[in-house]
Amino acid sequence: MLRVRDLSVSYGQHRALAGAGLDVGRGEIVVILGANGAGKTTLLKAICGISEGRVSGEVVMEGEDLIGQPPEKVVEAGIALVPEGRGVFGDLSVQENLTLGAYAQRARDDEAGNLERVFRLFPKLAERRRQTVRTMSGGEQQMVAIGRAMMSNPDILALDEPSLGLSPLLCKELFQSLADVRAAGLGILLVEQNAKQSLAIADRGYLLENGEIVHEDTGEKLAKDPAVQKAYLGGGAAVPAPKSRPAALPKPEKRAPAGPSPSDIAAAAMKGLSTLRRPAGETAPAPAPEPPRAVAPARAPVKPVPAAPPDPAPAPGVNGMDINALVARAASQSSRRASSAAGPAAAPLAPPAPRQNATGPRSALLPAMPDLSSSADRLKAALEEIEAAARRAEAYRPNPNSRDPRR
């Protein structure tokens, strides 16, 4: 159905693709494996007519040569691309994104049937047809992107890294959905970083290195190939032998303390503190009165918010929607994104206003502080007693002839 021969792409003096060739039949999944920068995305763009470089070679779809044709002619020929990063319209609903996929002339006559097929393959999209796409998860947005491509009624579905950024569970659901798409009769040309899961559902695969196809085989044989396992599946590396555990070191013997224990030092310090006496006739300063606490005002009862009115029914048109109006909305969103990206830099934020100093006498702002001179003298005396106890502990040397129970 799709035949590619001697396809080459050059960006100036750099050749990104050199003489690539492949075939994709109806109801067949073909996987392209390769390292980063090997030319996988360049190959898909050249087939779909959106490559920025100079393209030469042969891309034939059902006998029609597509080299040099604009992208809309490639879509009309039966090839639909799901680009890397999904490329959905986040401000539109699920059904509006899907309806945009039916803009091709070949899809206008059977739009209702294509929409029913997409909802049958992806039941979550049927449940959330009115939900805004930007509020959905990455896996659900990928379903929207695939469903939108299927709405063009293609014969070949080209996907560029569909599992990029998805969790392992969503990847498993995605590849199961691709198997269901193949069962519906579509051919799938898949560029995928997850080589293990892609080869598990693939009928055939190609290895792309430095812009050239170097090997072709069935998905089952490629998955068992030692070279493919080492390069793409993480196999082939020697497993290091487990390290032997070192012998357990003997536990050190407990040694008797050479001086007073920390508890003895602390007891001596506390004894020195207990000998301190408050001078006669001196009374402890009265604590400062606590300021009165402000009482929070009573809250007014919260009025219930009226429920939002239900969404109005879609305007009459093709399948309940006007495709031309949706295309205009999508184009305006794209232009707004482009203008915001090329617009001037945002003005710097104004510096914060300086804080004003409080006015009034200092005594009115701060509470009255008690006289701490006597407390400071007692604290100084306590510190001096602790330092003296520490010096006595350092100079302490036990008598070897004494019968100390600790020895």
Side-chain angles (χ1 to χ4, degrees):
M1 187 162 51
L2 174 64
R3 187 177 75 252
V4 178
R5 295 291 182 271
D6 198 23
L7 186 62
S8 300
V9 178
S10 299
Y11 298 97
Q13 299 297 326
H14 173 66
R15 172 162 288 192
L17 201 64
L22 56 88
D23 296 283
V24 182
R26 188 181 300 274
E28 183 182 32
I29 296 181
V30 176
V31 177
I32 302 175
L33 299 178
N36 292 335
K40 305 185 296 296
T41 300
T42 300
L43 175 61
L44 288 187
K45 287 184 175 182
I47 293 174
C48 297
I50 59 174
S51 176
E52 300 87 354
R54 187 174 66 255
V55 182
S56 62
E58 182 180 353
V59 177
V60 179
M61 180 67 183
E62 297 288 355
E64 181 180 359
D65 191 4
L66 301 179
I67 288 294
Q69 297 292 333
E72 59 269 19
K73 294 294 183 181
V74 177
V75 175
E76 293 291 350
I79 302 177
L81 173 66
V82 180
E84 180 181 354
R86 298 181 281 274
V88 294
F89 295 95
D91 295 332
L92 301 182
S93 66
V94 171
Q95 188 162 351
E96 289 172 340
N97 271 270
L98 297 178
T99 305
L100 282 173
Y103 186 73
Q105 192 63 38
R106 63 178 287 146
R108 296 290 181 92
D109 297 335
D110 196 18
E111 180 186 352
N114 292 332
L115 185 62
E116 182 181 357
R117 179 175 61 173
V118 171
F119 285 158
R120 187 170 60 251
L121 288 174
F122 305 108
K124 287 186 179 180
L125 301 186
E127 299 172 1
R128 307 184 182 186
R129 63 175 67 193
R130 292 184 179 275
Q131 183 175 348
T132 305
V133 173
R134 61 180 170 81
T135 63
M136 306 177 74
S137 66
E140 292 166 346
Q141 291 186 18
Q142 189 66 62
M143 294 179 187
V144 174
I146 296 175
R148 183 185 59 186
M150 292 180 61
M151 287 293 293
S152 65
N153 196 22
D155 295 323
I156 298 293
L157 194 62
L159 299 100
D160 190 5
E161 303 284 3
S163 71
L164 187 64
L166 300 184
S167 65
L169 180 59
L170 292 178
C171 284
K172 185 177 180 180
E173 295 180 359
L174 173 64
F175 284 105
Q176 181 59 45
S177 301
L178 293 181
D180 296 338
V181 171
R182 172 182 57 185
L186 273 70
I188 297 178
L189 181 58
L190 178 62
V191 168
E192 178 53 48
Q193 60 174 352
N194 193 333
K196 184 176 182 180
Q197 293 195 20
S198 59
L199 288 176
I201 64 171
D203 298 291
R204 291 184 299 108
Y206 295 87
L207 300 184
L208 186 64
E209 293 183 4
N210 298 325
E212 298 181 0
I213 300 291
V214 297
H215 188 58
E216 172 193 358
D217 214 326
T218 63
E220 183 179 0
K221 291 183 179 180
L222 287 176
K224 296 179 180 179
D225 191 336
V228 175
Q229 290 180 355
K230 183 177 181 179
Y232 306 108
L233 303 180
V239 179
K243 297 182 179 179
S244 58
R245 294 185 178 181
L249 297 177
K251 294 183 179 180
E253 298 180 357
K254 293 185 178 181
R255 309 174 81 179
S261 63
S263 59
D264 296 337
I265 298 176
M270 294 302 297
K271 184 177 180 181
L273 288 176
S274 62
T275 58
L276 295 177
R277 293 292 184 269
R278 189 184 306 276
E282 181 181 348
T283 58
E290 296 183 359
R293 298 183 179 178
V295 180
R299 296 186 179 178
V302 181
K303 296 181 180 181
V305 180
D311 295 337
V318 180
N319 215 15
M321 290 188 180
D322 188 354
I323 301 183
N324 295 325
L326 289 178
V327 172
R329 288 178 58 189
S332 64
Q333 291 181 19
S334 301
S335 62
R336 285 199 303 269
R337 293 194 190 100
S339 61
S340 63
L349 296 177
R355 298 180 60 184
Q356 298 181 356
N357 296 329
T359 59
R362 184 177 182 86
S363 60
L365 298 178
L366 299 176
M369 299 296 294
D371 185 12
L372 300 179
S373 57
S374 59
S375 300
D377 295 338
R378 290 195 299 272
L379 180 60
K380 182 178 180 181
L383 292 176
E384 291 176 354
E385 183 64 26
I386 292 175
E387 291 179 357
R391 286 194 295 270
R392 289 196 299 271
E394 292 178 356
Y396 175 76
R397 291 293 183 272
N399 187 359
N401 300 323
S402 63
R403 295 182 179 181
D404 192 347
R406 293 176 299 177
R407 301 181 59 87

